[in-house]
């Protein structure tokens, strides 16, 4: 396990200013723009996300956080802009291609596959399955070994996320918090380098929040990069290594939690500055 | 009215060749809607291109029946690609609109004058089944069966082949749905974005399903041509698709045996209501109706069945109601 | 609930069992037979009645049949074997003759029927003069009739709009067809506004919309040709439905629930009783209005039909949280019910509004039009402008557009979404009925006309953008023009295919439609 110091090392040298360069960025975006019928939802000049950290994306309602998320993960198409992941350009790729490149997302409104069992939900995340080809599907003996290995890994993850007792239940019968856990565990089944969580705490029973936070930090400690959107300031300040603030589609501030807390622009954006009404 | 003979007639058609053809086409629709959630309201279009594929090959180009089947299936493949490429990336309702329109437009094209040399226009084509009936092992005019429920040798041969195809397809669907491929497919039915976020190419999967279900529909069309030995464009009206939907929902969507049970139950019910209506008509109980109205009433009844099934028993005969109720989107 | 149902069913079956009666002559699936349909050469959807067909085995006539009003005939055969089928030349109307084919020679055909076969036999008619030209050489005409002439002029299915042959040079035909396309487009636009608005407000595709169009056309036909039992009963029923819906819409908040239900049910009950009485009185209460009056009645009944469906089917389903896909299927089922109830009530006949079919043409430059087309155009434009003004300037119109744009947002900003939806359905139903009347003016009125129009309406709303009223107008015009102008170069039977092609192209390149906003659709 890495200590906080090494995380701090990773962030060392990064200036607390919009578009600042990072030592070892895993995600680099340039000039990403998206507008809906004349209204510019996202207009990000330059953004880098440091590898192996927890980066939080915050901003007032309608700041374009979810839109940016959708754009970066290939779930929406940009008007212009490019971005690359781990050195490879992924702009313009579709959602599944981005996921295969190693950048996996979850959704604000949890998308548990309700009429599949919890275990099937997990197995769906496994990559490179021979039996997922239409011809391979008929060759049961060929994919059965792979299926057993995947099941083993899925059960381990379910154990870790405390869902093992529910393994054979329909995913639709889980509570909201359990669905969030399942979604996170399912994303991990793909063995991603970077995991993007869209409001992981929204609608979660407060008792489960601590355990979710624990899971997020342990992801970072395993060497994965986490980018997440969140509203709850206490949560963000507690676990993020780096914070990116979005307002009206633009990055208005970046920095460590301590930098952000004292940033006047951020306070204005959240409370509404007088000039902008 | 002789209720026993009506029951016997209904039972006969529940197992008859027509029920088998519809079961086959409904298996295709089950792949589309029951497992993948694709709203295909134009399954009849696939049946039509299948039937005409074999019909034109056999009667215009004098090709062997099996080659004709191959050509029918090829036509269905092309149709599926044409329908799928523009619509499968969009919301589900676009596919619904496109398929319902395409099914009807295909019928209008096949019955048009300028293709009459090929399709026979509004008159259709005849004498298609001799290549198929040559292999009939049964005595063609003898009757086989128990008691009142008998079939001629010709029908029995069609039944044997079609029900065998049904069983094979049931087996194929079972194998597919109990594989990782089937898991992805069912995942797409629940939420395709979630599946996409896990790195699966949803479009390709949906296309595979559209093609496969369409091919099964075309196979049903081919068997229809073999059964009737003649085809006509107007028997491929949109109500055929709607019958298939009733069959699917009656049997249970997303169940391997749903379409089979549904087809049997549906044709039993259709013949039963027809028999009862005619019986009541002949006794003078239906003063305001003429006998051509019975057919219309039956179709209205099928529509009503569709509505009532969705509202009161969405899981069909063999579905699991609890499973249906989980789905609160 | 279920046990009660089963009990009723069992009781019914027992009742049928104990009542003695002659055996129903349900035709056996296994029997042999011959059947077919004899249609008019110029319009193959129109049967020819009264042609006699006899079947001989050896020298004996064993069966005979006469074609019905739809041109259908059927004979039962005793056994498989060789038969000779003879079409009685005497019974064929003098303007037609039997077409010679490989199978049918001189009105006779030899056919082989296999065991269990119910074979169709094609007997086609051609105009008598052509038969004389191409068949047996007649002394008066040595020249051969061009075979392509006979095929080229046949009408597309039910498209008498296109069937009126358009002659003259390319420019003239272009102008003439352009006007026809405009009219066609206006009719599509009027009918499709409701479809689009309903989609916008409820996200539901109303597959029954085409049959609401048919309903309008049929009702107008009924009242313009003389309403007796059926018409009066229909009026009574719809009046009751209208009262029930209106009571619900306006008094829901003012009077108690029980009183409301009581009022609604007594209205419906009264309506049913009145309908029965009026229906039984039949022709005793006969009356007739001119077509414009019948059109007004049709629009009103159409609005009641739409609002009634929303109030008693869709709203309860929405409140039960029935998923959208399930709703689509329900609407397909309703379409089937509506279409075939219309078929039973109004009959299979294909008729036209009296007095508007044959009119002197008015010449306007290169274009000549019957006055009715000018009326259709004027009226349609007027209605479209009125609807646009309503949507743009009135409170309820603005609310409709708001709900159509974003249902949740409208709800949270205090709009009574359910009520707006009710009005949208009423408006949509009324406009669909009006579209039906206008369509019927230039078309043959029959029970499937609306379904055919539905396909073009779909193309129109997708072209213009699903959910926008103005999009439906623009899309309707575009589809009408494309469909009509395509007949300049291509067979008229492909009209609908071109509309569909246009729709598919739009989906490929701009799925949100011409006027739709780009949103995440895939």
């Amino acid at each position: 396990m890495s200590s906080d110091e090494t995380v701090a090392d990773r962030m060392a040298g990064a200036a607390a200013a919009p578009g600042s360069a990072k030592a070892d960025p895993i995600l680099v975006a340039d000039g990403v723009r998206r507008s809906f019928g004349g209204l510019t939802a996202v207009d990000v000049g330059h953004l880098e996300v440091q590898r192996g950290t927890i980066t939080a994306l915050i901003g007032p309602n309608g700041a374009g956080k979810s839109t940016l998320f959708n754009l970066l993960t290939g779930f929406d198409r940009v008007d212009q802009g490019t971005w690359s992941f781990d050195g490879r350009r992924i702009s313009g790729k579709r959602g599944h291609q981005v996921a295969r490149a190693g950048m996996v997302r979850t959704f604000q409104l949890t998308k548990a596959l309700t009429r599949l069992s919890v275990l099937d939900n997990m197995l769906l995340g496994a990559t490179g399955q021979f039996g997922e080809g239409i011809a391979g599907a008929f060759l049961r003996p060929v994919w059965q070994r792979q299926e057993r290995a995947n099941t083993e890994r899925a059960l381990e993850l379910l154990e870790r996320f405390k869902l093992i007792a529910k393994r054979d239940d329909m995913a639709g019968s889980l509570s909201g918090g359990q669905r969030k856990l399942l979604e996170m565990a399912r994303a991990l089944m793909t063995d991603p380098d970077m995991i993007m969580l869209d409001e992981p705490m929204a609608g979660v029973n407060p008792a489960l929040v601590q355990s979710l936070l624990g899971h997020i930090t342990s992801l970072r400690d395993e060497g994965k990069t986490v980018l997440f959107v969140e509203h709850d300031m206490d949560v963000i300040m507690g676990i993020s290594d780096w914070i990116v603030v979005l307002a009206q589609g633009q990055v208005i501030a970046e920095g460590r939690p301590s930098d952000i807390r004292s940033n006047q622009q951020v306070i204005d954006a959240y409370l509404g500055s007088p000039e902008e009404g | 009215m002789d209720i026993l003979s009506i029951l016997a007639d209904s039972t006969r058609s529940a197992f008859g060749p027509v029920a088998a053809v519809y079961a086959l086409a409904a298996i295709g629709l089950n792949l589309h809607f029951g497992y993948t959630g694709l709203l295909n309201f134009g399954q009849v279009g696939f049946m039509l291109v299948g039937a005409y594929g074999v019909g034109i090959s056999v009667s215009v180009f004098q090709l062997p029946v099996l080659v004709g089947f191959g050509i029918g299936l090829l036509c269905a493949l092309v149709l599926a690609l044409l329908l799928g490429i523009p619509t499968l990336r969009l919301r589900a309702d676009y596919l619904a609109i496109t398929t319902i329109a395409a099914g009807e437009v295909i019928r209008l094209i096949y019955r048009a004058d300028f293709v009459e040399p090929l399709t026979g226009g509004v008159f259709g084509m005849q004498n298609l089944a001799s290549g198929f009936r040559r292999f009939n092992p049964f005595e063609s005019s003898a009757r086989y069966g128990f008691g009142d429920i008998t079939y001629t040798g010709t029908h029995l041969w069609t039944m044997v082949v079609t029900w065998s195809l049904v069983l094979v397809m049931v087996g194929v669907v079972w194998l597919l749905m109990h594989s990782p491929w089937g898991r992805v497919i069912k995942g797409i039915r629940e939420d395709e974005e979630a599946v996409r976020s896990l790195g699966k190419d949803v479009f390709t999967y949906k296309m595979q399903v559209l093609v496969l279900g369409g091919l099964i529909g075309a196979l049903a069309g081919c068997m229809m041509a073999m059964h009737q030995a003649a085809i006509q464009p107007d028997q491929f009206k949109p109500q055929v698709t709607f019958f298939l939907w009733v069959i699917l929902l009656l049997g249970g969507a997303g169940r391997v045996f749903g379409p089979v049970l549904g087809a049997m139950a549906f044709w039993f019910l259709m013949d039963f209501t027809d028999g009862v209506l005619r019986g009541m008509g002949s006794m003078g109980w239906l003063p305001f109706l003429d006998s051509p109205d019975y057919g219309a009433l039956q179709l209205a009844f099928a529509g009503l069945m569709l509505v009532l099934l969705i509202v009161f028993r969405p899981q069909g005969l063999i579905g699991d109601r609890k499973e249906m109720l989980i789905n609160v989107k | 609930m279920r046990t009660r149902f089963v009990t009723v069913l069992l009781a019914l079956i027992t009742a049928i069992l104990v009542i003695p009666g002659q055996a129903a002559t349900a035709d056996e699936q296994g029997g042999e037979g011959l059947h077919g349909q004899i249609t008019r050469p110029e319009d193959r959807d129109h049967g020819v009645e009264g042609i006699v067909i006899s079947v001989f085995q050896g020298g004996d006539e064993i069966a005979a049949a006469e074609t019905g009003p739809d041109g259908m005939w059927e004979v039962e055969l005793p056994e498989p074997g060789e038969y000779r089928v003879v079409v009685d030349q005497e019974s064929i109307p003098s303007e037609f003759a039997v077409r010679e084919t490989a199978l049918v020679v001189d009105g006779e055909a030899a056919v082989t029927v296999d065991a269990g076969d119910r074979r169709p036999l094609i007997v086609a008619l051609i105009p008598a003069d052509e038969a004389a030209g191409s068949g047996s050489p007649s002394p008066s005409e040595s020249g051969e009739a061009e075979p392509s002439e006979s095929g080229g002029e046949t009408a597309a299915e039910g498209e008498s709009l296109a069937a009126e042959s358009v002659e003259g040079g390319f420019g003239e035909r272009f102008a003439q067809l352009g006007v026809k396309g405009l009219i066609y487009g206006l009719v599509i636009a009027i009918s499709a506004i409701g479809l689009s608005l309903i989609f916008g407000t409820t996200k539901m595709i109303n597959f029954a919309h085409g049959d609401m169009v048919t309903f309008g056309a049929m009702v107008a036909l009924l009242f313009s040709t003389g309403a007796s039992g059926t018409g009066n009963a229909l009026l009574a029923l719809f009046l009751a439905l209208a009262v029930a819906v209106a009571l619900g819409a306006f008094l829901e908040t003012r009077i108690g629930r029980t009183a409301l239900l009581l009022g609604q049910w007594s209205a419906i009950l009264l309506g049913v009783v009145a309908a029965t009485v009026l229906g039984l009185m039949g022709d005793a209460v006969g009356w007739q209005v001119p077509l414009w009056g019948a059109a007004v009645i049709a629009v009103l009944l159409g609005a009641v039909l739409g609002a009634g469906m929303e109030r008693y089917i869709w709203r309860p389903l929405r409140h039960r949280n029935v998923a959208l896909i399930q709703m689509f299927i329900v609407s397909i089922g309703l379409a089937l019910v509506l279409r075939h109830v219309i078929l039973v009530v109004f009959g299979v006949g294909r008729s036209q509004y009296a007095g508007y079919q044959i009119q002197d043409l008015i010449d306007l430059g290169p274009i000549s039009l019957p006055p009715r087309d000018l009326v259709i155009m004027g009226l349609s434009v007027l209605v479209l402008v009125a609807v646009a003004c309503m949507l743009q300037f009135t409170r309820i119109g603005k609310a409709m557009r708001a709900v159509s744009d974003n249902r949740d947002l409208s709800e949270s900003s205090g709009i009574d979404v359910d009520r707006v939806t009710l009005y949208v359905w009423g408006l949509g139903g009324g406009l669909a009925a009006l579209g039906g009347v206008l369509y019927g003016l230039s078309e043959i009125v029959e029970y499937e006309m609306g379904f055919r129009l539905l396909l073009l309406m779909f193309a129109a709303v997708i072209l213009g953008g699903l959910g926008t009223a103005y999009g439906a107008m623009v899309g309707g015009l575009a589809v009408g023009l494309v469909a009509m102008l395509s007949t300049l170069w291509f067979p008229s039977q492909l009209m609908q295919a071109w509309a569909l092609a246009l729709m598919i192209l739009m989906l490929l390149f701009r799925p949100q439609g011409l006027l739709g906003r780009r949103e995440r659709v895939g």
Side-chain angles (χ1 to χ4, degrees), chain A residues 217-250:
Chain A
T217 39
S218 66
L219 286 180
R220 182 214 29 215
D221 297 342
E222 285 164 22
K224 300 201 186 299
T225 312
V226 179
L227 178 68
F228 76 111
V229 170
E230 192 45 70
H231 273 130
D232 187 337
M233 272 304 189
D234 292 338
V235 167
I236 293 159
M237 295 300 168
I239 70 162
S240 339
D241 304 313
W242 194 259
I243 295 176
V244 176
V245 187
L246 220 56
Q248 291 171 332
Q250 294 178 326

Short mmCIF file of all heavy atoms in Angstrom, two decimals, chain A residues 217-250:
data_model
loop_
_atom_site.label_atom_id
_atom_site.label_comp_id
_atom_site.label_asym_id
_atom_site.label_seq_id
_atom_site.Cartn_x
_atom_site.Cartn_y
_atom_site.Cartn_z
N THR A 217 -10.77 4.97 -1.83
CA THR A 217 -9.36 5.18 -1.50
C THR A 217 -8.55 3.91 -1.75
O THR A 217 -7.40 3.97 -2.20
CB THR A 217 -9.16 5.64 -0.05
OG1 THR A 217 -10.08 4.94 0.77
CG2 THR A 217 -9.35 7.12 0.10
N SER A 218 -9.16 2.75 -1.48
CA SER A 218 -8.36 1.54 -1.68
C SER A 218 -8.11 1.31 -3.18
O SER A 218 -7.11 0.70 -3.55
CB SER A 218 -9.01 0.32 -1.03
OG SER A 218 -10.23 0.01 -1.65
N LEU A 219 -9.00 1.80 -4.02
CA LEU A 219 -8.76 1.71 -5.47
C LEU A 219 -7.48 2.47 -5.81
O LEU A 219 -6.62 1.98 -6.56
CB LEU A 219 -9.91 2.31 -6.27
CG LEU A 219 -11.19 1.51 -6.33
CD1 LEU A 219 -12.24 2.25 -7.16
CD2 LEU A 219 -10.92 0.15 -6.96
N ARG A 220 -7.38 3.70 -5.25
CA ARG A 220 -6.19 4.49 -5.54
C ARG A 220 -4.95 3.79 -5.01
O ARG A 220 -3.91 3.74 -5.67
CB ARG A 220 -6.31 5.87 -4.90
CG ARG A 220 -5.10 6.74 -5.22
CD ARG A 220 -4.70 7.69 -4.14
NE ARG A 220 -4.99 7.30 -2.79
CZ ARG A 220 -5.34 8.17 -1.85
NH1 ARG A 220 -5.45 9.45 -2.14
NH2 ARG A 220 -5.56 7.77 -0.63
N ASP A 221 -5.10 3.23 -3.81
CA ASP A 221 -3.93 2.58 -3.21
C ASP A 221 -3.48 1.37 -4.00
O ASP A 221 -2.34 0.93 -3.90
CB ASP A 221 -4.26 2.19 -1.77
CG ASP A 221 -4.54 3.44 -0.93
OD1 ASP A 221 -4.15 4.53 -1.39
OD2 ASP A 221 -5.17 3.32 0.13
N GLU A 222 -4.40 0.80 -4.81
CA GLU A 222 -3.99 -0.31 -5.67
C GLU A 222 -3.34 0.19 -6.95
O GLU A 222 -3.00 -0.60 -7.83
CB GLU A 222 -5.21 -1.16 -6.05
CG GLU A 222 -5.69 -2.05 -4.94
CD GLU A 222 -7.09 -2.57 -5.21
OE1 GLU A 222 -7.49 -2.60 -6.39
OE2 GLU A 222 -7.77 -2.93 -4.24
N GLY A 223 -3.27 1.50 -7.10
CA GLY A 223 -2.59 2.05 -8.28
C GLY A 223 -3.54 2.50 -9.37
O GLY A 223 -3.10 2.88 -10.44
N LYS A 224 -4.84 2.43 -9.12
CA LYS A 224 -5.77 2.89 -10.15
C LYS A 224 -6.00 4.40 -10.02
O LYS A 224 -5.81 4.97 -8.94
CB LYS A 224 -7.10 2.16 -10.02
CG LYS A 224 -6.96 0.66 -10.15
CD LYS A 224 -8.25 0.00 -10.53
CE LYS A 224 -8.14 -1.51 -10.51
NZ LYS A 224 -7.13 -2.03 -11.47
N THR A 225 -6.39 5.01 -11.12
CA THR A 225 -6.70 6.43 -11.10
C THR A 225 -8.21 6.58 -10.96
O THR A 225 -8.96 5.85 -11.60
CB THR A 225 -6.26 7.08 -12.42
OG1 THR A 225 -4.92 6.67 -12.69
CG2 THR A 225 -6.35 8.59 -12.34
N VAL A 226 -8.64 7.50 -10.11
CA VAL A 226 -10.08 7.71 -9.92
C VAL A 226 -10.41 9.15 -10.26
O VAL A 226 -9.74 10.07 -9.80
CB VAL A 226 -10.50 7.41 -8.46
CG1 VAL A 226 -11.99 7.66 -8.28
CG2 VAL A 226 -10.14 5.99 -8.06
N LEU A 227 -11.43 9.33 -11.11
CA LEU A 227 -11.96 10.67 -11.35
C LEU A 227 -13.42 10.60 -10.97
O LEU A 227 -14.13 9.72 -11.44
CB LEU A 227 -11.82 11.05 -12.82
CG LEU A 227 -12.39 12.42 -13.22
CD1 LEU A 227 -11.58 13.55 -12.60
CD2 LEU A 227 -12.42 12.59 -14.73
N PHE A 228 -13.86 11.50 -10.09
CA PHE A 228 -15.28 11.40 -9.75
C PHE A 228 -15.95 12.75 -9.61
O PHE A 228 -15.33 13.76 -9.32
CB PHE A 228 -15.48 10.51 -8.51
CG PHE A 228 -15.12 11.15 -7.20
CD1 PHE A 228 -16.11 11.48 -6.27
CD2 PHE A 228 -13.81 11.40 -6.87
CE1 PHE A 228 -15.78 12.05 -5.06
CE2 PHE A 228 -13.47 11.98 -5.66
CZ PHE A 228 -14.46 12.29 -4.76
N VAL A 229 -17.25 12.72 -9.89
CA VAL A 229 -18.09 13.91 -9.77
C VAL A 229 -18.82 13.80 -8.45
O VAL A 229 -19.31 12.72 -8.11
CB VAL A 229 -19.12 13.95 -10.91
CG1 VAL A 229 -20.15 15.03 -10.65
CG2 VAL A 229 -18.45 14.18 -12.23
N GLU A 230 -18.85 14.87 -7.68
CA GLU A 230 -19.57 14.77 -6.41
C GLU A 230 -20.07 16.14 -6.01
O GLU A 230 -19.57 17.18 -6.44
CB GLU A 230 -18.63 14.20 -5.34
CG GLU A 230 -19.30 13.79 -4.07
CD GLU A 230 -20.59 12.99 -4.25
OE1 GLU A 230 -20.49 11.84 -4.70
OE2 GLU A 230 -21.67 13.52 -3.96
N HIS A 231 -21.10 16.14 -5.16
CA HIS A 231 -21.65 17.39 -4.66
C HIS A 231 -21.20 17.69 -3.24
O HIS A 231 -20.91 18.82 -2.89
CB HIS A 231 -23.19 17.33 -4.68
CG HIS A 231 -23.75 17.74 -5.99
ND1 HIS A 231 -24.67 17.00 -6.67
CD2 HIS A 231 -23.49 18.83 -6.75
CE1 HIS A 231 -24.95 17.61 -7.80
NE2 HIS A 231 -24.26 18.71 -7.88
N ASP A 232 -21.14 16.65 -2.44
CA ASP A 232 -20.92 16.81 -1.00
C ASP A 232 -19.48 17.27 -0.72
O ASP A 232 -18.52 16.54 -0.91
CB ASP A 232 -21.20 15.46 -0.32
CG ASP A 232 -21.16 15.61 1.19
OD1 ASP A 232 -20.53 16.57 1.68
OD2 ASP A 232 -21.77 14.75 1.86
N MET A 233 -19.35 18.54 -0.28
CA MET A 233 -18.02 19.13 -0.09
C MET A 233 -17.18 18.40 0.95
O MET A 233 -15.98 18.22 0.77
CB MET A 233 -18.18 20.59 0.33
CG MET A 233 -18.27 21.52 -0.86
SD MET A 233 -16.84 21.28 -1.92
CE MET A 233 -17.05 22.61 -3.04
N ASP A 234 -17.83 17.96 2.03
CA ASP A 234 -17.07 17.28 3.09
C ASP A 234 -16.40 16.03 2.53
O ASP A 234 -15.23 15.76 2.76
CB ASP A 234 -18.00 16.88 4.24
CG ASP A 234 -18.52 18.13 4.95
OD1 ASP A 234 -17.84 19.16 4.81
OD2 ASP A 234 -19.57 18.04 5.59
N VAL A 235 -17.18 15.28 1.76
CA VAL A 235 -16.67 14.05 1.17
C VAL A 235 -15.46 14.36 0.28
O VAL A 235 -14.40 13.73 0.38
CB VAL A 235 -17.77 13.37 0.34
CG1 VAL A 235 -17.20 12.29 -0.54
CG2 VAL A 235 -18.85 12.83 1.24
N ILE A 236 -15.63 15.39 -0.53
CA ILE A 236 -14.59 15.71 -1.51
C ILE A 236 -13.29 16.13 -0.81
O ILE A 236 -12.22 15.63 -1.14
CB ILE A 236 -15.08 16.84 -2.44
CG1 ILE A 236 -16.24 16.32 -3.28
CG2 ILE A 236 -13.97 17.34 -3.32
CD1 ILE A 236 -17.10 17.40 -3.84
N MET A 237 -13.46 17.04 0.12
CA MET A 237 -12.27 17.53 0.81
C MET A 237 -11.57 16.40 1.54
O MET A 237 -10.35 16.37 1.66
CB MET A 237 -12.67 18.63 1.82
CG MET A 237 -13.23 19.86 1.15
SD MET A 237 -12.03 20.59 0.03
CE MET A 237 -13.02 21.76 -0.86
N GLY A 238 -12.34 15.44 2.02
CA GLY A 238 -11.75 14.34 2.80
C GLY A 238 -10.89 13.41 1.98
O GLY A 238 -9.82 13.00 2.42
N ILE A 239 -11.33 13.07 0.76
CA ILE A 239 -10.59 12.00 0.09
C ILE A 239 -9.85 12.41 -1.18
O ILE A 239 -9.04 11.64 -1.68
CB ILE A 239 -11.49 10.79 -0.23
CG1 ILE A 239 -12.49 11.13 -1.33
CG2 ILE A 239 -12.18 10.24 1.00
CD1 ILE A 239 -13.07 9.88 -1.95
N SER A 240 -10.13 13.59 -1.73
CA SER A 240 -9.48 13.87 -3.02
C SER A 240 -8.04 14.30 -2.84
O SER A 240 -7.68 14.95 -1.87
CB SER A 240 -10.21 14.96 -3.79
OG SER A 240 -11.50 15.11 -3.34
N ASP A 241 -7.22 13.95 -3.84
CA ASP A 241 -5.85 14.45 -3.88
C ASP A 241 -5.80 15.73 -4.67
O ASP A 241 -4.91 16.55 -4.53
CB ASP A 241 -4.95 13.42 -4.56
CG ASP A 241 -5.05 12.08 -3.88
OD1 ASP A 241 -4.97 12.06 -2.63
OD2 ASP A 241 -5.22 11.07 -4.58
N TRP A 242 -6.76 15.88 -5.56
CA TRP A 242 -6.74 17.02 -6.47
C TRP A 242 -8.19 17.34 -6.81
O TRP A 242 -9.03 16.45 -6.89
CB TRP A 242 -5.96 16.67 -7.73
CG TRP A 242 -5.60 17.85 -8.59
CD1 TRP A 242 -6.24 18.25 -9.72
CD2 TRP A 242 -4.52 18.75 -8.40
NE1 TRP A 242 -5.64 19.36 -10.23
CE2 TRP A 242 -4.57 19.67 -9.43
CE3 TRP A 242 -3.51 18.86 -7.41
CZ2 TRP A 242 -3.66 20.73 -9.55
CZ3 TRP A 242 -2.60 19.88 -7.53
CH2 TRP A 242 -2.67 20.81 -8.60
N ILE A 243 -8.48 18.63 -6.97
CA ILE A 243 -9.86 19.02 -7.26
C ILE A 243 -9.89 19.92 -8.48
O ILE A 243 -9.07 20.83 -8.61
CB ILE A 243 -10.49 19.75 -6.05
CG1 ILE A 243 -10.59 18.77 -4.86
CG2 ILE A 243 -11.88 20.28 -6.40
CD1 ILE A 243 -11.11 19.41 -3.60
N VAL A 244 -10.82 19.63 -9.39
CA VAL A 244 -11.02 20.47 -10.57
C VAL A 244 -12.41 21.09 -10.44
O VAL A 244 -13.38 20.39 -10.22
CB VAL A 244 -10.94 19.64 -11.86
CG1 VAL A 244 -11.24 20.50 -13.07
CG2 VAL A 244 -9.58 18.98 -11.98
N VAL A 245 -12.47 22.44 -10.53
CA VAL A 245 -13.77 23.10 -10.37
C VAL A 245 -14.26 23.58 -11.73
O VAL A 245 -13.55 24.26 -12.46
CB VAL A 245 -13.65 24.31 -9.41
CG1 VAL A 245 -15.04 24.88 -9.14
CG2 VAL A 245 -12.98 23.89 -8.13
N LEU A 246 -15.48 23.20 -12.03
CA LEU A 246 -16.09 23.56 -13.31
C LEU A 246 -17.23 24.54 -13.04
O LEU A 246 -18.00 24.35 -12.09
CB LEU A 246 -16.67 22.28 -13.93
CG LEU A 246 -16.53 22.05 -15.42
CD1 LEU A 246 -15.07 22.09 -15.82
CD2 LEU A 246 -17.12 20.69 -15.77
N ALA A 247 -17.31 25.60 -13.83
CA ALA A 247 -18.48 26.48 -13.73
C ALA A 247 -18.82 26.95 -15.13
O ALA A 247 -17.93 27.36 -15.88
CB ALA A 247 -18.20 27.66 -12.82
N GLN A 248 -20.06 26.89 -15.48
CA GLN A 248 -20.54 27.26 -16.82
C GLN A 248 -19.68 26.62 -17.91
O GLN A 248 -19.33 27.26 -18.89
CB GLN A 248 -20.57 28.77 -16.95
CG GLN A 248 -21.67 29.34 -16.07
CD GLN A 248 -21.65 30.82 -15.98
OE1 GLN A 248 -20.59 31.44 -16.11
NE2 GLN A 248 -22.80 31.40 -15.75
N GLY A 249 -19.34 25.37 -17.69
CA GLY A 249 -18.65 24.61 -18.72
C GLY A 249 -17.14 24.80 -18.75
O GLY A 249 -16.46 24.13 -19.51
N GLN A 250 -16.63 25.74 -17.94
CA GLN A 250 -15.19 26.00 -18.00
C GLN A 250 -14.52 25.62 -16.69
O GLN A 250 -15.13 25.68 -15.63
CB GLN A 250 -14.94 27.48 -18.28
CG GLN A 250 -15.43 27.87 -19.66
CD GLN A 250 -15.25 29.33 -19.94
OE1 GLN A 250 -15.37 30.15 -19.02
NE2 GLN A 250 -14.96 29.65 -21.18
#
